[in-house]
Structure formats: structure tokens, C-alpha cells
């Protein structure tokens, strides 16, 4: 697009700031113990505050109580869809969630019926990223119970025109930050390191600043044996990324030490992967313009998956 057209598009997008995306939305279900249990099992969170006779919901579940599922919410307005349609028409057809921010005013408890309102809080100017050129769109959802504000959820996406890579893009690199740098340093050394709370001894993965069992901020590491089983898996067919060749299997691996992590399952055809298969870590090195990239994958133990 020409610069003038982009300037015109930016002005049209800015006009959506402050417009409601959902009005008087109502959660599909009240806060309930089964959903709390499912969440905690998926996250491996054993905090006793979420169980027992008077539990609270994990604060990070805030968005879960507002989700409309496939049928959506009756309170949804057309403004957000119009905004995305404008971006699609301009060539910004791809979307990626970039980050979210949540604020918690009080815990949610079973029986609470949430209501919410969402607003298009901001639309950035045109931005150029490694993914492509587009616009960051931020929505803010205010969550209430009985009219009282209990939390706020800001959700930001990048709606962009994808960059066409020739030759195909290198394998994406993991996002390494202060909290997980030790894990990736271990991987570079062909070691699978697990965090361990020095207070209660709980092992955890992914790496976190504090213990999700007792809240202690002190920790050390133990080196995993690398042996585990396929706890669950999916077969990726779509979307297609230049660095990958679908279909391929991605597994949730339960290590012998009891923690779980996500990685590729290799060594058998994708349609032979099954829950319960015995696997062992294997470190693969990929070379690109940025240098060597070491990633852990899990190879099915010989003799498994042949039936």
C-alpha cells in the first residue's frame, strides 16, 4: 500500500478506540469447582487455596469465566469485527496474540456469576516487526460480580501482513528471559534441568520466579533423567510454517520426575504416536544465521509404537 493509504487506514482504525466490543456480557457458567479442578490439573497447580470446602479460583483464570465458546456471547457488539475486517481488507490477514495484562481486585469463589464489558482500548500506529507490518490492537475487559469490579483483563494482538520469506524462514527460536534462561542454558549443554523449591522440594516446569505450591522464591535445579511417557499429544496439520513439515506430532511429555513439558515426538510416524508411549529426550542442533540452536525433542523408545 502507498503511504497515503496507510495514513488513511490508521485514521480509520483510530476511530474505533473507545468503542465497546461487548456490553453487559454474562459468563456462560458461574465460577465452579470442576472448571477450577480442570485448570489446576492442566497447569500442575496444587495450591491448597484452590481445593477443599472453601476454595477460590486461581486468579489467572479470570479470562476463562468470560469466554463465550463457539457460540459466542449475546452482548458482543460489531465494532471489533468491523475493525478486524478493515485490517483484513488492507492485507493484514494474519494475527498473533502478543501479551495480556490482568489486575485482580478480589478472589472469585464458586457460585460467583461474572458479568463483563469490553472496550477497544487502543490501536497503535503502523508497526514493522519480524512477522510483518501491521497494527497492535488492545481490548480491555472489566469483570464484575454483583456490580462490583473484581478484575480487569487487557488482551493485545498484532494484526499484520505476513512477511514472505525467500528462502524459508529459519526455525523459530524460543523466547529466553530472566525467568527461564537457566533452562535454555542447560539445553545448550544437553542437560534437561528442572526447578526445585528449596523450601518444600516441589519440582516445577515451566520455570517460574516462585514456587506454585508454597510461594517460596528460593530454588535450585535437578537434572532430569530424560525418560518419560506421552501424557497427551496433538498432530499438527495446519497452519503450515516454513520451518516445519506437517503433519507432525507434538506431545505433552510426563517426565519420570513427575513434571510435564511440551515438545515434538519423533522416532515413529505421526499416526503411530499414542498416549503412554515411553520416550527419551534427544537434543537436536539446528544451524542458521544466528548460530546454533539446540532444542529438546522426545524419541519413542525402540520397540514402542510399532503395533
Amino acid at each position: 500500500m502507498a503511504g497515503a493509504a496507510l495514513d488513511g487506514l490508521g485514521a480509520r482504525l483510530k476511530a474505533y478506540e473507545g468503542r465497546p466490543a461487548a456490553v453487559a456480557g454474562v459468563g456462560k457458567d458461574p465460577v465452579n469447582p470442576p472448571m477450577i479442578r480442570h485448570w489446576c490439573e492442566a497447569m500442575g497447580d496444587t495450591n491448597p487455596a484452590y481445593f477443599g470446602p472453601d476454595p477460590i479460583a486461581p486468579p489467572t483464570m479470570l479470562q476463562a469465566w468470560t469466554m463465550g465458546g463457539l457460540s459466542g456471547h449475546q452482548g458482543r457488539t460489531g465494532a471489533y469485527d468491523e475493525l478486524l475486517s478493515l485490517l483484513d481488507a488492507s492485507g493484514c490477514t494474519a494475527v498473533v496474540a502478543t501479551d495480556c495484562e490482568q489486575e485482580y481486585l478480589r478472589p472469585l469463589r464458586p457460585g460467583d456469576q461474572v458479568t463483563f464489558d469490553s472496550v477497544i482500548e487502543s490501536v497503535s500506529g503502523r508497526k514493522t516487526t519480524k512477522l510483518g507490518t501491521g497494527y497492535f490492537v488492545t481490548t480491555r475487559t472489566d469483570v464484575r460480580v454483583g456490580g462490583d469490579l473484581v478484575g480487569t483483563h487487557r488482551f493485545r494482538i498484532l494484526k499484520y501482513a505476513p512477511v514472505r520469506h525467500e528462502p524459508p524462514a529459519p526455525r523459530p527460536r524460543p523466547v529466553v528471559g530472566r525467568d527461564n534462561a537457566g533452562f535454555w542454558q542447560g539445553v545448550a549443554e544437553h542437560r534437561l534441568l528442572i526447578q526445585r523449591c528449596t523450601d518444600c522440594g516441589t519440582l516445577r516446569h515451566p520455570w517460574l520466579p516462585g514456587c506454585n505450591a508454597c510461594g517460596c522464591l528460593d530454588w535450585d535445579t535437578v537434572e532430569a533423567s530424560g525418560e518419560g511417557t506421552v501424557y497427551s499429544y496433538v498432530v499438527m496439520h495446519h497452519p503450515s510454517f516454513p520451518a516445519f513439515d506437517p503433519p507432525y506430532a507434538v506431545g505433552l511429555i510426563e517426565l519420570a520426575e513427575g513434571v510435564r513439558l511440551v515438545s515434538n515426538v519423533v522416532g515413529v510416524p505421526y499416526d503411530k504416536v499414542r498416549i503412554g508411549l515411553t520416550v527419551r529426550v534427544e537434543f537436536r542442533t539446528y544451524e542458521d544465521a544466528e548460530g546454533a540452536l539446540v532444542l529438546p525433542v522426545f524419541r519413542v523408545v525402540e520397540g514402542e509404537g510399532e503395533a
Side-chain angles (χ1 to χ4, degrees):
M1 289 182 293
L6 285 170
D7 291 343
L9 174 63
R12 295 177 68 188
L13 298 175
K14 281 288 184 182
Y16 282 85
E17 290 186 341
R19 292 183 60 178
V23 177
V26 179
K28 287 293 183 72
D29 298 286
V31 177
N32 61 86
M35 186 65 78
I36 294 173
R37 175 171 53 81
H38 293 325
W39 176 279
C40 290
E41 287 180 355
M43 297 298 178
D45 196 334
T46 59
N47 191 319
Y50 308 145
F51 305 93
D54 186 29
I56 63 172
T60 49
M61 284 189 73
L62 183 67
Q63 185 189 22
W65 308 114
T66 68
M67 289 182 172
L70 296 177
S71 58
H73 283 290
Q74 292 183 347
R76 181 168 175 170
T77 70
Y80 192 66
D81 291 335
E82 291 174 13
L83 174 62
L84 297 186
S85 294
L86 272 177
L87 288 163
D88 283 338
S90 73
C92 297
T93 55
V95 63
V96 62
T98 61
D99 62 286
C100 70
E101 303 170 14
Q102 293 184 333
E103 301 174 32
Y104 316 115
L105 279 72
R106 79 151 173 87
L108 291 172
R109 299 183 181 276
D112 284 342
Q113 178 66 65
V114 303
T115 59
F116 59 92
D117 299 284
S118 296
V119 65
I120 301 169
E121 189 170 64
S122 66
V123 183
S124 75
R126 183 178 59 154
K127 303 291 185 181
T128 298
T129 73
K130 288 185 177 181
L131 292 175
T133 298
Y135 299 82
F136 290 92
V137 179
T138 304
T139 55
R140 188 193 76 242
T141 299
D142 293 331
V143 182
R144 295 179 172 82
V145 173
D148 296 327
L149 185 66
V150 296
T152 299
H153 176 81
R154 284 182 173 84
F155 188 67
R156 186 172 295 109
I157 64 169
L158 171 64
K159 198 80 165 68
Y160 64 98
V163 172
R164 303 301 177 188
H165 290 281
E166 290 293 342
R171 183 172 292 267
R173 290 178 171 261
V175 177
V176 180
R178 179 179 58 186
D179 293 333
N180 68 352
F183 173 78
W184 289 109
Q185 179 60 41
V187 168
E189 299 168 356
H190 290 200
R191 303 166 64 212
L192 204 56
L193 300 180
I194 305 172
Q195 274 185 315
R196 177 176 58 189
C197 176
T198 56
D199 187 14
C200 69
T202 299
L203 301 179
R204 63 181 185 261
H205 186 88
W207 282 31
L208 296 169
C211 179
N212 54 11
C214 71
C216 177
L217 298 179
D218 296 323
W219 53 271
D220 59 11
T221 62
V222 296
E223 183 172 355
S225 66
E227 297 181 353
T229 57
V230 177
Y231 185 84
S232 184
Y233 71 95
V234 295
V235 175
M236 300 297 296
H237 293 272
H238 182 82
S240 178
F241 294 101
F244 300 92
D245 185 21
Y248 54 92
V250 178
L252 177 61
I253 308 301
E254 184 165 82
L255 297 178
E257 291 75 15
V259 299
R260 300 171 190 158
L261 71 162
V262 176
S263 186
N264 292 82
V265 180
V266 301
V268 297
Y270 70 89
D271 57 353
K272 297 297 183 181
V273 176
R274 295 290 183 270
I275 291 172
L277 286 181
T278 303
V279 294
R280 184 174 293 115
V281 73
E282 176 180 294
F283 295 95
R284 290 189 172 181
T285 301
Y286 302 88
E287 296 285 349
D288 59 26
E290 297 184 45
L293 170 64
V294 181
L295 294 175
V297 299
F298 285 84
R299 177 171 292 278
V300 175
V301 172
E302 188 175 354
E304 298 266 346
E306 296 178 355

